[in-house]
């Protein structure tokens, strides 16, 4: 397909659209939707990804300036998020208390606190929607186990094959997440003065019994000069209890404590590996960075922030507050937070500090008033939740391939955008959306939504 023929006018904007998305998009390739679906399904196979009735028939395209903006702001906000989380207390024990973390999170820290803090933010992916005033960062996912790298790699592989011309030219650009992450580990090994060997820690039990999700990653690492191996936790002792030249000094922590607790997987081997010098990133301190409480503290303002940093927060973070019985401010207005949250149900969202995949989230306008008041009052007692402005998401147009359809069709979707940053470098972008144009809590697992990668044009 000739690159110049793939870019088309986006078409008349929907009432819910936004100029931030630009005026061009990528047309579907000249193949049947069934072919696109088969290719997409083939690349993502055996990675735990669910069936999706609606799949994209083209990548989501952003203007280069908009695409770059999300990475630039992600890096700047991540720095503020990190500083905010670390300042809550000078020690790990103090932070656990300040955040009201469950006892299950009081584990898997490395002994050297400087190392623990330094490598907490190696891997991140915020969740962003485009609101009436442009990009709004709803939360930060800071964890080696976040979704995105395998998904973006798989979707991007299909679009590269379908859109490349005879010379391999493409009508779009995108970073390859595996390539950027491999570079991060090369740099990490050099910084720590350890051999270029990467342990990928996870469990096939978390992927329906298949290992392809991990095999894709280790095979790519190997192609980039990194010795890599996938370890189940029961085998992790082999990463350090071996001759020195065979040890793994660094690794990717591709699991979460709640997921493994649900599966009954013991984390003791992980602590053993950490205690014997295998640094798994991101470190457990990433839990503080991921907490919605951190965004609440940042949104309210920190005394060390410059005027430019405060302006950045005001522009890109929706109004967010740690919920408790106290007074706060909204602009120049002083308000009693709990009564304010109860009375403004239709404009707010209630989120637990710790939660994944859209769990522990209540959207006020979708919640019964009595149930909302009960949830707000209960959350205020614990002090481990936030209230956040509901952002009405704007839409862009995308071609979709429905299961069984003979031709692609256009839809206006409200994507949740997730730029990936590895070691501070842009590493591709994930998007999740409902194919019918609705909005809400979008997670591919459990909400019958769809996913895609985002590219620049």
């Amino acid at each position: 397909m000739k690159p110049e023929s793939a870019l088309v006018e986006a078409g008349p904007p929907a009432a819910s659209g936004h100029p931030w998305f630009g005026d061009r998009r990528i047309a579907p390739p000249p193949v049947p939707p069934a072919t696109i679906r088969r290719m997409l399904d083939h690349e993502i196979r055996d990675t735990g990804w669910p069936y999706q009735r609606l799949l994209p028939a083209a990548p989501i395209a952003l203007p280069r300036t908009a695409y770059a903006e999300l990475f630039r702001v992600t890096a700047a906000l991540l720095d503020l998020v990190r500083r905010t989380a670390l300042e809550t207390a000078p020690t790990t024990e103090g932070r656990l208390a300040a955040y009201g973390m469950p006892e299950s999170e009081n584990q898997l820290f490395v002994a050297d606190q400087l190392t623990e803090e330094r490598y907490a933010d190696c891997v991140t992916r915020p969740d962003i929607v485009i609101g009436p005033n442009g990009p709004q960062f709803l939360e930060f996912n800071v964890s080696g186990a976040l979704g995105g790298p395998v998904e973006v790699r798989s979707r991007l592989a299909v679009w590269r094959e379908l859109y490349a011309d005879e010379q391999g030219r493409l009508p779009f650009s995108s970073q390859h997440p595996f390539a950027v992450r491999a570079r991060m580990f090369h740099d990490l090994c050099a910084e720590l003065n350890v051999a270029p060997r990467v342990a990928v820690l996870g469990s096939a039990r978390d992927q329906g019994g298949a290992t392809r999700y991990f095999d894709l990653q280790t095979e790519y690492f190997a192609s980039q000069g990194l010795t890599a191996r996938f370890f189940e936790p029961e085998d992790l002792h082999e990463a350090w209890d071996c001759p020195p030249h065979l040890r793994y000094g660094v690794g990717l922590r591709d699991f979460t404590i709640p997921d493994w607790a649900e599966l009954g997987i013991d984390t003791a081997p992980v602590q053993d590996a950490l205690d014997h010098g295998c640094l798994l990133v991101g470190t457990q301190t990433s839990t503080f960075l991921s907490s919605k409480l951190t965004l609440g503290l940042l949104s309210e303002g920190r005394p060390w922030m410059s005027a430019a940093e405060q302006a950045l927060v005001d522009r890109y973070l929706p109004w967010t507050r740690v919920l408790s019985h106290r007074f706060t401010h909204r602009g120049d207005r002083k308000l009693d937070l709990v009564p304010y949250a109860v009375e403004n149900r239709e404009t707010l969202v209630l989120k637990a500090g710790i939660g994944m995949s859209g769990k522990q989230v209540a959207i006020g306008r979708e919640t019964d008033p009595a149930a909302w008041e009960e949830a707000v009052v209960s959350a205020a007692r614990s002090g481990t939740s936030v209230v956040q402005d509901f952002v009405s998401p704007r839409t862009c147009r995308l071609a979709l391939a429905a299961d069984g359809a003979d031709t692609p069709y256009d839809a206006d979707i409200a994507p949740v955008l997730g730029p990936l940053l590895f070691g501070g470098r842009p590493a591709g972008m994930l998007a999740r959306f409902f194919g019918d144009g609705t909005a809400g809590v979008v997670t591919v697992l459990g909400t019958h939504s769809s996913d895609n990668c985002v590219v620049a044009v």
Side-chain angles (χ1 to χ4, degrees), residues 137-167:
F137 286 64
L138 304 185
E139 61 183 71
F140 267 80
N141 305 285
V142 188
S143 164
L146 55 80
V150 171
E151 297 87 332
V152 172
R153 170 262 169 212
S154 298
R155 300 318 192 196
L156 191 58
V158 172
W159 303 136
R160 287 180 179 276
E161 183 174 349
L162 287 173
Y163 286 97
D165 67 7
E166 295 81 358
Q167 286 77 44

Side-chain angles (χ1 to χ4, degrees), residues 92-371:
T92 292
E93 292 74 17
R95 291 171 201 142
L96 288 165
Y99 278 84
M101 286 288 180
E103 184 58 33
S104 60
E105 295 295 329
N106 187 12
Q107 58 175 310
L108 307 187
F109 294 95
V110 299
D112 182 73
Q113 186 152 334
L114 182 60
T115 299
E116 176 66 44
E117 294 175 3
R118 178 171 174 77
Y119 300 108
D121 60 352
C122 288
V123 182
T124 191
R125 190 209 75 220
D127 287 344
I128 305 165
V129 297
I130 307 307
N133 298 316
Q136 293 287 285
F137 286 64
L138 304 185
E139 61 183 71
F140 267 80
N141 305 285
V142 188
S143 164
L146 55 80
V150 171
E151 297 87 332
V152 172
R153 170 262 169 212
S154 298
R155 300 318 192 196
L156 191 58
V158 172
W159 303 136
R160 287 180 179 276
E161 183 174 349
L162 287 173
Y163 286 97
D165 67 7
E166 295 81 358
Q167 286 77 44
R169 295 176 302 175
L170 293 163
F172 58 79
S173 62
S174 170
Q175 302 90 355
H176 191 303
F178 284 11
V180 179
R181 190 167 56 183
R183 184 181 172 190
M184 177 188 79
F185 274 111
H186 271 297
D187 290 349
L188 187 57
C189 290
E191 183 173 314
L192 296 171
N193 193 30
V194 297
R197 301 170 63 85
V198 179
V200 176
L201 174 61
S203 178
R205 285 160 283 182
D206 205 16
Q207 300 294 328
T211 63
R212 185 170 182 268
Y213 174 87
F214 303 106
D215 295 341
L216 285 170
Q217 301 179 65
T218 56
E219 289 167 7
Y220 189 89
F221 282 143
S223 75
Q224 301 299 304
L226 291 161
T227 299
R229 176 182 164 186
F230 163 56
F231 288 89
E232 289 277 357
E234 295 81 3
D235 303 323
L236 188 57
H237 63 94
E238 297 175 14
W240 56 267
D241 189 11
C242 57
H245 70 283
L246 297 178
R247 292 173 186 165
Y248 290 82
V250 298
L252 178 69
R253 181 179 151 167
D254 205 343
F255 74 94
T256 69
I257 291 174
D259 281 345
W260 276 15
E262 194 173 301
L263 292 166
I265 299 176
D266 187 9
T267 58
V270 184
Q271 190 67 63
D272 285 342
L274 294 170
D275 293 343
H276 286 88
C278 182
L279 177 64
L280 299 170
V281 295
T283 58
Q284 177 65 11
T285 294
S286 64
T287 305
F288 302 122
L289 278 64
S290 290
S291 173
K292 280 75 168 180
L293 302 189
T294 302
L295 285 193
L297 295 171
L298 186 56
S299 174
E300 194 154 4
R302 314 314 301 156
W304 44 262
M305 287 168 58
S306 69
E309 289 168 336
Q310 185 64 62
L312 181 82
V313 168
D314 292 344
R315 178 177 176 183
Y316 288 102
L317 288 189
W319 185 87
T320 308
R321 291 294 186 269
V322 177
L323 184 60
S324 64
H325 288 281
R326 65 189 183 92
F327 285 89
T328 185
H329 62 88
R330 179 147 201 160
D332 296 330
R333 177 187 171 193
K334 183 180 179 181
L335 51 89
D336 192 346
L337 184 54
V338 172
Y340 176 84
V342 171
E343 295 164 8
N344 290 272
R345 170 181 61 86
E346 294 194 355
T347 66
L348 296 173
V349 178
L350 176 66
K351 298 180 177 182
I354 296 294
M356 299 183 302
S357 301
K359 300 173 184 177
Q360 297 88 35
V361 175
I363 299 175
R365 63 183 61 193
E366 299 176 4
T367 306
D368 175 79

